[in-house]
C-alpha cells in the first residue's frame, strides 16, 4: 500500500502512542513554558503546534494541565482551536509569523507571586525563513511578554512589546530565540555577595562562522519588562566538544537552552551539600559521525566566573548527551512539590514524512524526566578513561579510587500511575551462557514498561528483542556491548515499510567498576528501564543514558 494515497487520518491510531503526551492532532514540536501553579495546585505544559496541519508552520502554543504530569487535560478542550493559548499575530504584530519557544512562571510582571498571575516571555517571529546556516534577516526574532489572570488559559499581550528588540550590536547571528527566565541566587551571590532575588534570562544564539552563544540578561525582582544584557554566559567555538566520543557536539547555534542548579544530595542527609550548575542545550550543526542528526541534545556543567564584576561566564568542566535518539528541545521547570528539576523533550517522528497525512499527527513529548546529581564512590579509573574530560567530574580518593559525579536522569516517580489496571509479570533470575540463549517474556501488548537488572561479564553482550512478529520478519533489538561500551538500538528490521527511518542508534554507555576491598573490584549491573508505547520507545540505562525514538511495525502480531 502506498501510504501517500490513503485518506487523511486513516492511520491515526495505527502507530500513535497512548501514554506519552501529544497534541490532540496535527504537528507539534518544542515543549514550552512548563510550570507549577501553587495557587491552583496544577502542572501546566505548553507546546508548539500547528492545528490542522501535519507539517511545521504557523507556530502557536497549545496548552494542557495535569495533577501528576502523567494524565493531562487539554485546555480548554481538544476540539478545533480550543487548546491554543497563544497564536501568531494575536495582540502582537511582532509575532505575525510565529510564537516560538519561551518560558512561563506564576509571577506577575511586577514580581507578585501570591495572586495567581502568570507571566510568559517568548520569541515573537516577524520574518521567515531563518536559518543558522542560511539566510537570517535582522529583526526576524524579538522577545515579547504576555500576562494571564486565569491560570494560563488566556493571555493579554504587553502593550510595549517587544521587551527585547535585538541581539548585541554588530553580531552576525545564527539565531536569537527561546528565552528562559527564573531566579538564580548563584549569580546574585557572585555579583552582589547576597541573594537579591533578581531574575535572569538566557537567550539561545550564535555568531555566524564563529560558534554558538548563550546570552545572559538580568531584571529586578519587581520589573520583568526591563532586561539588561550582561554578556555571553556560554561562549565556545563551532562544533566544540569536551570529548568527541562521550559528549556530543555543541554545534554552531544553540536552541531551547536551560540554565539550572542542582544540589548534590547525600544519602545520609548530611549538611555538606554541593551546588552544581548545569546548562541543557539543543544544538544545530553538530558533528554527525556518531549521531543520526546534526541536532544534538546535550548538557554542560560549569563553574561561574566574574571577570569584570558584571559579565558572568561559565567555564565548562563536564559535557554529556541528554538523549542519544531523536528527542530534542528539552525544556524544564523547578517543581516545588517534589523539590526537583523536571524536563520534557520533543520526540520527532522517524517516518521521513511518508504517509504523514494518513498519520494525522506529527510528534510527541518524552515522559517527564527528573535530573539529579548522580554520585558513585570508590570508582576505579579503568584504562584511564576518567582522566580525560567527558560527562563526568572526578574527585580523587586516598585509596587510589575516585568519586564519580554526573548528571543523572530518570522518569519521574509518578510514572507508576501508568500501571493502574495493568498486568504485571515478574521473572525470576535467569542465567544465559551463549548468544543463542533466548527466553520469551510473552508480552502481547504494544504498550508496556520493562525494568531489568542484568549482571554482565566484561565481554558478553546482552539485551532484548521487542515488537517482534511471530514469523520473525519484524523486530527491534536492544543490545549492550561492554567491550565497545555502546548501548545499541538496532532498527534494521523494525518495520517492513522501507520509507521509514530504520538506522541504528548508538549511545555511549560505560558500566562503572567500584572497589569493594583491597583485593576486589566489581562492575555495576546494567539497569534498564524501558518504555514501549506503540511506536515510541524510551530507554533509560543506569539513570544516566537515554535513547528516545520511534519504530513502526506493520504486522498485527508484532
Amino acid at each position: 500500500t502506498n501510504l501517500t494515497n490513503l485518506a487523511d487520518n486513516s492511520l491515526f491510531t495505527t502507530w500513535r502512542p497512548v501514554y506519552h503526551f501529544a497534541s490532540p492532532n496535527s504537528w507539534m514540536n518544542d515543549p514550552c513554558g512548563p510550570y507549577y501553579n501553587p495557587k491552583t495546585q496544577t502542572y501546566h505544559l505548553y507546546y508548539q503546534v500547528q492545528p490542522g496541519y501535519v507539517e511545521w508552520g504557523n507556530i502557536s502554543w497549545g496548552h494542557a494541565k495535569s495533577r501528576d504530569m502523567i494524565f493531562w487535560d487539554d485546555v480548554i478542550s481538544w476540539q478545533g482551536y480550543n487548546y491554543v493559548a497563544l497564536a501568531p499575530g494575536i495582540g502582537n504584530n511582532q509575532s505575525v509569523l510565529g510564537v516560538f519557544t519561551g518560558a512561563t512562571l506564576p509571577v506577575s510582571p511586577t514580581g507578585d507571586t501570591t495572586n495567581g498571575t502568570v507571566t510568559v516571555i517568548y520569541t515573537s517571529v516577524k520574518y521567515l525563513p531563518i536559518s543558522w546556516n542560511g539566510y537570517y534577516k535582522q529583526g526576524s526574532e524579538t522577545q515579547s511578554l504576555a500576562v494571564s489572570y486565569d491560570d494560563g488559559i488566556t493571555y493579554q499581550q504587553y502593550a510595549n512589546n517587544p521587551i527585547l528588540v535585538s541581539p548585541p550590536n554588530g553580531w552576525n547571528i545564527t539565531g536569537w530565540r527561546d528565552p528562559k527566565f527564573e531566579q538564580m541566587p548563584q549569580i546574585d551571590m557572585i555579583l552582589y555577595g547576597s541573594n537579591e532575588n533578581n531574575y535572569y534570562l538566557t537567550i539561545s544564539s550564535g555568531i555566524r562562522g564563529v560558534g554558538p552563544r548563550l546570552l545572559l540578561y538580568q531584571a529586578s525582582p519587581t520589573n520583568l519588562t526591563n532586561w539588561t544584557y550582561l554578556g555571553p554566559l556560554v561562549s565556545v567555538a563551532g562544533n566544540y566538544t569536551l570529548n568527541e566520543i562521550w559528549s556530543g557536539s555543541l554545534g554552531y547555534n544553540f536552541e531551547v537552552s536551560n540554565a539550572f542548579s542542582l544540589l548534590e544530595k547525600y544519602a545520609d542527609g548530611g549538611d555538606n551539600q554541593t551546588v552544581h550548575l548545569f546548562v541543557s542545550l539543543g544544538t544545530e550543526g553538530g558533528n554527525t559521525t556518531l549521531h543520526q542528526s546534526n541536532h544534538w541534545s546535550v548538557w554542560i556543567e560549569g563553574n561561574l566566573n566574574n571577570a569584570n564584576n558584571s559579565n558572568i561566564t561559565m567555564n565548562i568542566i563536564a559535557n554529556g548527551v541528554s538523549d542519544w535518539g531523536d528527542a530534542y528541545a528539552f525544556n524544564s521547570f523547578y517543581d516545588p512539590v517534589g523539590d526537583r528539576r523536571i524536563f520534557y523533550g520533543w520526540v520527532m517522528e522517524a517516518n521521513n514524512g511518508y504517509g504523514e497525512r494518513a498519520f494525522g499527527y506529527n510528534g510527541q513529548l518524552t515522559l517527564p524526566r527528573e535530573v539529579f546529581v548522580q554520585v558513585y564512590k570508590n570508582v576505579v579509573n579503568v584504562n584511564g578513561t576518567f582522566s580525560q574530560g567527558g560527562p563526568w567530574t572526578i574527585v580523587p580518593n586516598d585509596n587510589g579510587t575516585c568519586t564519580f559525579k554526573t548528571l543523572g536522569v530518570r522518569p519521574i516517580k509518578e510514572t507508576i500511575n501508568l500501571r493502574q489496571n495493568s498486568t504485571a509479570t515478574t521473572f525470576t533470575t535467569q542465567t544465559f551462557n551463549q548468544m543463542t540463549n533466548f527466553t520469551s517474556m510473552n508480552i502481547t501488548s504494544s504498550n508496556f514498561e520493562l525494568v531489568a537488572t542484568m549482571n554482565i561479564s566484561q565481554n558478553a553482550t546482552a539485551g532484548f528483542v521487542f515488537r517482534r512478529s511471530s514469523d520473525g520478519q519484524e523486530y527491534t533489538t536492544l543490545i549492550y556491548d561492554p567491550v565497545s561500551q555502546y548501548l545499541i538500538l538496532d532498527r534494521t528490521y523494525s518495520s517492513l515499510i522501507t520509507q521509514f527511518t530504520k538506522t541504528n542508534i548508538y549511545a555511549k554507555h560505560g558500566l562503572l567498576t567500584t572497589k569493594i576491598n583491597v583485593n576486589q573490584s566489581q562492575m555495576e549491573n546494567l539497569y534498564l528501564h524501558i518504555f514501549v508505547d506503540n511506536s515510541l520507545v524510551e530507554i533509560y540505562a543506569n539513570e544516566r543514558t537515554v535513547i528516545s525514538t520511534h519504530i513502526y511495525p506493520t504486522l498485527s502480531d508484532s
Side-chain angles (χ1 to χ4, degrees):
T1 301
N2 187 339
L3 303 191
T4 61
N5 294 333
L6 298 179
D8 289 356
N9 305 310
S10 57
L11 296 176
F12 192 83
T13 60
T14 304
W15 292 293
R16 185 174 171 86
V18 298
Y19 62 82
H20 282 77
F21 181 86
S23 62
N25 49 62
S26 310
W27 168 275
M28 74 169 295
N29 54 306
D30 302 5
C32 301
Y35 73 96
Y36 176 79
N37 194 336
K39 194 172 182 66
T40 58
Q41 298 182 354
T42 52
Y43 294 95
H44 292 260
L45 178 62
Y46 299 92
Y47 53 93
Q48 294 189 4
V49 65
Q50 181 177 208
Y53 295 84
V54 289
E55 294 181 344
W56 184 93
N58 194 42
I59 291 300
S60 307
W61 278 28
H63 182 199
K65 64 180 181 179
S66 173
R67 293 288 184 181
D68 64 356
M69 293 178 280
I70 300 298
F71 296 96
W72 294 89
D73 293 321
D74 296 300
V75 180
I76 303 173
S77 80
W78 65 269
Q79 297 172 306
Y81 291 80
N82 288 343
Y83 58 92
V84 174
L86 294 169
I90 304 300
N92 184 4
N93 61 13
Q94 298 294 316
S95 66
V96 290
L97 287 186
V99 181
F100 278 17
T101 306
T104 309
L105 284 178
V107 58
S108 74
T110 57
D112 191 333
T113 59
T114 63
N115 61 9
T117 302
V118 179
T119 297
V120 57
I121 301 177
Y122 64 91
T123 297
S124 36
V125 179
K126 196 170 186 177
Y127 304 108
L128 287 174
I130 53 178
S131 173
W132 70 270
N133 62 349
Y135 179 69
Y136 186 95
K137 181 179 176 63
Q138 296 298 320
S140 298
E141 298 173 305
T142 56
Q143 317 308 321
S144 293
L145 181 147
V147 181
S148 174
Y149 301 100
D150 56 5
D151 202 18
I153 298 175
T154 61
Y155 281 91
Q156 297 180 17
Q157 298 289 335
Y158 178 55
N160 294 321
N161 274 333
I163 59 171
L164 285 167
V165 178
S166 61
N169 290 332
W171 283 29
N172 183 10
I173 61 170
T174 52
W176 189 60
R177 56 183 169 269
D178 308 337
K180 178 70 174 178
F181 72 105
E182 57 186 77
Q183 292 175 316
M184 299 189 70
Q186 294 78 17
I187 297 181
D188 267 353
M189 291 298 295
I190 290 178
L191 290 177
Y192 308 107
S194 61
N195 183 6
E196 301 295 318
N197 296 313
N198 288 313
Y199 284 86
Y200 292 91
L201 177 146
T202 56
I203 296 180
S204 301
S205 187
I207 301 176
R208 195 171 298 276
V210 179
R213 299 291 185 270
L214 182 60
L215 311 184
L216 182 65
Y217 298 77
Q218 181 194 72
S220 75
T222 58
N223 189 357
L224 296 181
T225 67
N226 185 21
W227 295 86
T228 301
Y229 176 57
L230 299 183
L233 178 65
V234 179
S235 178
V236 295
N239 240 333
Y240 171 88
T241 182
L242 200 57
N243 187 310
E244 189 174 280
I245 304 298
W246 290 88
S247 299
S249 169
L250 270 62
Y252 284 87
N253 185 66
F254 290 151
E255 295 188 294
V256 199
S257 302
N258 283 225
F260 61 98
S261 61
L262 293 174
L263 275 177
E264 181 183 315
K265 300 178 180 179
Y266 293 108
D268 58 10
D271 295 330
N272 187 23
Q273 295 184 335
T274 304
V275 177
H276 296 253
L277 184 67
F278 295 94
V279 180
S280 169
L281 302 159
T283 72
E284 293 188 296
N287 191 316
T288 58
T289 304
L290 299 171
H291 195 51
Q292 64 276 9
S293 167
N294 65 6
H295 286 76
W296 283 84
S297 295
V298 300
W299 59 266
I300 56 177
E301 182 184 358
N303 298 320
L304 293 179
N305 300 312
N306 180 20
N308 54 13
N309 295 322
S310 63
N311 185 14
I312 300 292
T313 59
M314 174 182 276
N315 175 42
I316 299 173
I317 61 174
N319 171 203
V321 177
S322 303
D323 195 301
W324 291 86
D326 298 322
Y328 188 68
F330 281 91
N331 216 332
S332 75
F333 74 104
Y334 171 71
D335 173 26
V337 178
D339 184 26
R340 55 189 174 170
R341 173 69 54 169
I342 306 295
F343 271 90
Y344 299 91
W346 160 48
V347 190
M348 57 193 79
E349 299 287 345
N351 57 18
N352 291 318
Y354 178 59
E356 60 187 1
R357 293 191 60 149
F359 274 62
Y361 64 89
N362 198 330
Q364 300 87 39
L365 300 186
T366 63
L367 291 170
R369 302 174 178 180
E370 177 188 2
V371 293
F372 62 99
V373 180
Q374 188 181 65
V375 181
Y376 284 87
K377 297 182 179 180
N378 295 315
V379 173
V380 180
N381 188 3
V382 179
N383 299 323
T385 298
F386 304 138
S387 300
Q388 56 186 324
W392 50 69
T393 55
I394 298 299
V395 179
N397 298 324
D398 293 338
N399 63 356
T401 66
C402 60
T403 298
F404 173 97
K405 303 179 184 181
T406 190
L407 182 65
V409 57
R410 57 195 172 208
I412 63 171
K413 61 184 180 182
E414 287 85 349
T415 54
I416 198 171
N417 295 343
L418 291 169
R419 302 181 192 175
Q420 60 190 20
N421 303 321
S422 297
T423 301
T425 304
T426 302
F427 287 81
T428 57
T429 300
Q430 300 182 52
T431 301
F432 300 94
N433 298 317
Q434 304 174 37
M435 267 302 292
T436 53
N437 289 161
F438 289 92
T439 186
S440 174
M441 302 182 70
N442 297 314
I443 296 175
T444 57
S445 171
S446 59
N447 309 90
F448 60 87
E449 174 188 7
L450 173 64
V451 179
T453 301
M454 309 171 75
N455 188 329
I456 300 177
S457 67
Q458 293 183 352
N459 59 357
T461 58
F464 293 94
V465 175
F466 51 90
R467 296 306 309 271
R468 182 187 185 277
S469 62
S470 58
D471 60 7
Q473 286 194 79
E474 288 185 327
Y475 58 91
T476 299
T477 305
L478 176 69
I479 287 288
Y480 179 68
D481 180 2
V483 177
S484 65
Q485 294 185 304
Y486 273 105
L487 191 66
I488 305 166
L489 185 67
D490 189 334
R491 298 186 292 177
T492 306
Y493 302 101
S494 61
S495 177
L496 295 180
I497 298 178
T498 58
Q499 289 88 340
F500 293 157
T501 299
K502 294 188 287 183
T503 53
N504 295 344
I505 295 177
Y506 295 83
K508 193 68 174 175
H509 182 71
L511 296 178
L512 303 177
T513 298
T514 55
K515 194 170 186 177
I516 301 174
N517 53 49
V518 176
N519 301 313
Q520 187 178 11
S521 297
Q522 177 177 298
M523 188 171 73
E524 71 176 320
N525 290 330
L526 176 66
Y527 173 69
L528 295 175
H529 199 164
I530 302 171
F531 295 88
V532 175
D533 189 4
N534 203 349
S535 65
L536 206 166
V537 180
E538 278 193 76
I539 301 162
Y540 297 79
N542 296 89
E543 296 189 339
R544 60 178 178 267
T545 303
V546 189
I547 295 174
S548 303
T549 192
H550 285 85
I551 56 175
Y552 304 99
T554 62
L555 301 177
S556 59
D557 65 345
S558 290

